[in-house]
Each structure stands twice: as C-alpha cells, then as structure tokens.
Amino acid sequence: MGINILGMGSYLPEQVLTNNDFKKFVDTSDEWIKTRTGICSRHMAGWEPTWYMGRQAALKAVEKSGIDPKEIGLVITSTITSDFLTPSIASIIQHEIGAENAAAFDLSAACSGFVYAVDTAKRFMQTDDNLKYVLVIATEALSRFIDYSDRSTCILFGDGSAAAVLEKSDKLYSSFLASDGGGARKLFARNMQQAPEVRIERDFDDGFPEKPMHQLFQDGKEVYKFAVKALPKAFRAAAEKINITTSDIDWFIPHQANIRIIETAAKNLGIGMEKFVVTVDHHGNTSSASIPLALCEAIDKGDIKRGQKIALIGFGAGLTYGSVILEY
Ligand code: ACO
C-alpha cells in the first residue's frame, strides 16, 4: 500500500527578516550568512500562535483536496515549538477546521517530523480500513525558542507551516526512519523547571550543556557532520527496500537547514543540484515545516507534477533522520 497526496496548503507569517536585520542583535553580515548557510531571508511569526499557523495551512490543504473535513479520521501535527505542553496542537486544529470525526495527536521528531508523520499516517491507514483521510500538518515558530545573542544559531531559523491531506493508494512507497539518541545533547531546548515548593540543591547532572529554558542549543559543527552522512544514508535505506536508485527519483526534497549540507549530500549521492528543491534561501530552517513547505511550493509552481517520484529526506534533533519515497 502507498499513499496519495490529495492536496497541500501552506502558511508563512507576513513579517520577513533579511540577514541585515540580524545586525541589530549580533555581530554578523549578509555575506557570512549567505556563504555559510545559503540563507538570505526568513519569515517570522508575529503574535499568531503556532497552532494558528498550522490551522491556516490545514484549511488550505482541505480546500485544495475538495474533501469534507468530517471525512478526516486522523490529524497528526508535527511540531517542536508548540504553544502548549498540553493540549496537543493537533486537537486544537482538529476543532478549528471542523474535523469532528478525527483522532488527533502531536508528534515530536524535530526536523524529521514531517517524514515521521507521513509514515505514521501511512501505517495508520494500512491497519484501519475505516480511515479515509489523514491530515498531516507541520507547524513551527522557531523564532520563539532562539537565543538572540548567539550569532551561530539565531540567523538560521524561520517560521511557517504546511499541511497535506493523505489517502490510501497503490502508488509506489517506501520509508526508513531512524534515530541516534547518542546525539541528543548536540541539539536541544530545555523544558524544565523545578516546582518552587520542592526546590532543592542541584544534585543531578543530566549531561546536557547549560542553556536557559526554551532556548535552542546547537553544536553546529557536530550536527553538520551528522547531517551530511544521515541524508544519503536515509535515502539509500528507503530506496533499497523497493530496489530503486537515485536515477528513478525526479525530485529530492531534503530538510532545508543549510545549502552546504544539501550540496554535499547531492555530491555524496552523485546527483546534480537541479533535482533538489531548495527553499532555504527564502525560508531559512523551519524545522519540520521545511520539507512540506518546499514540497508545497514546488507543486504550486508546477515543478512537481503528478506521477513523478519524490524523495523526502529529514534530519534533525534527536538526532533523528529518515526518508519517505513516494509518487506524487
Ligand atoms: N556571523 C558572523 N560570524 C559568525 C556567525 C555569524 N552569524 N556565526 C558564527 N560566526 C563565526 C564563529 O564565531 C567563528 O568565528 P571564529 O573562527 O573567530 O571562532 C566562525 O564564524 C566560524 O564558525 P563555525 O561555527 O565554524 O561556522 P560553520 O561554518 O560551522 O557554520 C553553522 C556554522 C552554519 C551553524 C553550521 O555549522 C551548520 O549549518 N550546522 C548544521 C545546522 C543544522 O543543520 N541543523 C539542523 C537541525 S536543526 C533542528 O533540528 C531544529
């Protein structure tokens, strides 16, 4: 069993920050950011919550699909920048869009989140004959979890959301999901404080570097080294399962973190950059929203056409990685 992407939608906040705007916070330059990352600008959320951005993308995806939201049986939202510890963003969006017959949950797999969510949706559909449509949303507002005094991370991230309505089909499909938790301390944001009444001397070291709560810490060099290996590995593992190679794929849509990571991965896989969808220049790194935002943009531009084979490849905090190969 495979899946069909019935329709997609996206939402990008109105506010756009150029590289030069970051000179207000840190000692940086447009030239450094462009050369080291390929990023020129990124969207940044204003006051709209992460769930609201996801809602807007979801409404467009449902409209494009031409379905009744009541026919959606499951809403999965990928996010690492939720507005709440609980409830799930998925439950909020489920109500907001009138998907009253859907189960709903959030999924946390960082920048691999959309790949994880699509594969989870597929597996749900595979085992539940009554499940007609699954709505997968990736919505992120990284700008709320950034240390604006850390010039090596604050310039990387952007905000945005994208969503897809999925249904069962007999189209080509393969996937590979993985995690290397040994790298968990290389990329994280804490969400912990002791209750004041029970505050005691700190007597436990969890091995994570010091960083204030809700601020992203990244060991850029280590994550970079991981990413350039994980990207080709994830694709090859999914491709081998269905006995296909890079030449069978029309479009590669990797996580958009850094153009140098994408170029190195293209070289490792022996493919020209013309087969890669690149949006990192104008989106920055939007974590799990980056792959569906790129996919949605390429579909809307008419680059990706029905019948073409695409490879979605994610990598991120966890350290997670994975790939989904499917026919559009
Ligand atoms: N402007 C100017 N100079 C800077 C900036 C900046 N914004 N940031 C760092 N520098 C300086 C450093 O201080 C350093 O100066 P020094 O040599 O005087 O010490 C110099 O530039 C080189 O710094 P490096 O860290 O070596 O730069 P590098 O080429 O490694 O690029 C980067 C850093 C862009 C973060 C890179 O390591 C990277 O992209 N890593 C991967 C990030 C990633 O892919 N994350 C994905 C997952 S995200 C998720 O899951 C949420």
Side-chain angles (χ1 to χ4, degrees):
M1 194 204 97
I3 56 169
N4 180 42
I5 300 175
L6 209 54
M8 289 195 74
S10 67
Y11 174 85
L12 287 161
E14 216 175 288
Q15 185 179 210
V16 174
L17 262 74
T18 65
N19 292 341
N20 281 326
D21 291 325
F22 282 84
K23 290 187 195 166
K24 283 178 227 157
F25 319 117
V26 287
D27 180 15
T28 190
S29 68
D30 179 47
E31 208 243 320
W32 192 97
I33 301 172
K34 263 191 208 150
T35 317
R36 301 283 182 131
T37 71
I39 299 166
C40 301
S41 62
R42 72 290 283 147
H43 292 258
M44 284 227 179
W47 287 98
E48 68 269 55
T50 308
W51 68 258
Y52 178 83
M53 299 199 300
R55 168 197 190 267
Q56 299 305 90
L59 283 172
K60 283 188 208 157
V62 169
E63 193 193 325
K64 283 240 181 85
S65 305
I67 64 161
D68 181 341
K70 293 188 186 72
E71 294 176 297
I72 297 169
L74 176 63
V75 177
I76 306 175
T77 301
S78 164
T79 187
I80 54 164
T81 52
S82 179
D83 311 290
F84 308 102
L85 283 175
T86 194
S88 73
I89 283 186
S91 285
I92 300 171
I93 297 172
Q94 175 242 336
H95 170 74
E96 287 282 326
I97 67 168
E100 57 191 53
N101 297 311
F105 64 89
D106 286 355
L107 181 153
S108 171
C111 309
S112 311
F114 187 72
V115 168
Y116 266 67
V118 167
D119 200 44
T120 303
K122 187 248 179 193
R123 289 165 196 265
F124 263 91
M125 287 193 277
Q126 204 166 6
T127 53
D128 184 350
D129 289 341
N130 297 320
L131 191 54
K132 198 168 174 192
Y133 302 119
V134 180
L135 174 65
V136 173
I137 306 152
T139 181
E140 304 281 10
L142 272 297
S143 66
R144 298 188 177 121
F145 296 85
I146 296 301
D147 173 359
Y148 286 95
S149 66
D150 176 1
R151 65 178 179 173
S152 64
T153 58
C154 72
I155 48 99
L156 298 173
F157 297 99
D159 303 337
S161 309
V165 175
L166 308 178
E167 64 178 353
K168 286 175 223 187
S169 87
D170 53 7
K171 289 179 178 181
L172 167 123
Y173 184 93
S174 183
S175 66
F176 169 78
L177 303 181
S179 170
D180 174 8
R185 287 163 180 78
K186 310 274 182 242
L187 183 51
F188 66 88
R190 278 184 190 281
N191 185 27
M192 184 183 78
Q193 65 180 2
Q194 282 181 305
E197 313 83 63
V198 296
R199 203 179 291 275
I200 53 167
E201 284 291 301
R202 183 162 171 177
D203 61 356
F204 187 87
D205 181 1
D206 63 8
F208 282 74
E210 284 297 327
K211 191 82 187 171
M213 200 169 62
H214 299 159
Q215 284 189 6
L216 201 74
F217 168 91
Q218 175 173 255
D219 181 338
K221 275 198 190 342
E222 286 301 312
V223 176
Y224 190 97
K225 279 193 249 167
F226 156 76
V228 293
K229 280 194 207 135
L231 218 155
K233 189 175 162 187
F235 169 71
R236 285 197 184 106
E240 273 165 18
K241 287 186 189 176
I242 48 171
N243 214 14
I244 63 163
T245 64
T246 48
S247 57
D248 297 306
I249 301 294
D250 297 290
W251 293 101
F252 290 83
I253 310 179
H255 170 47
Q256 309 283 317
N258 185 322
I259 191 67
R260 291 191 295 146
I261 293 174
I262 301 175
E263 284 168 353
T264 309
K267 215 162 137 194
N268 286 345
L269 286 166
I271 328 159
M273 278 299 286
E274 65 282 354
K275 275 196 172 190
F276 280 76
V277 176
V278 174
T279 54
V280 71
D281 56 330
H282 55 286
H283 289 167
N285 180 347
T286 57
S287 191
S288 71
S290 95
I291 291 176
L293 273 170
L295 176 60
C296 193
E297 189 177 290
I299 291 170
D300 287 348
K301 276 165 70 181
D303 291 343
I304 294 182
K305 297 174 184 66
R306 286 287 176 189
Q308 288 190 318
K309 295 180 186 65
I310 53 182
L312 315 176
I313 316 170
F315 57 86
L319 299 166
T320 58
Y321 56 111
S323 178
V324 159
I325 296 170
L326 51 81
E327 186 184 317
Y328 177 57

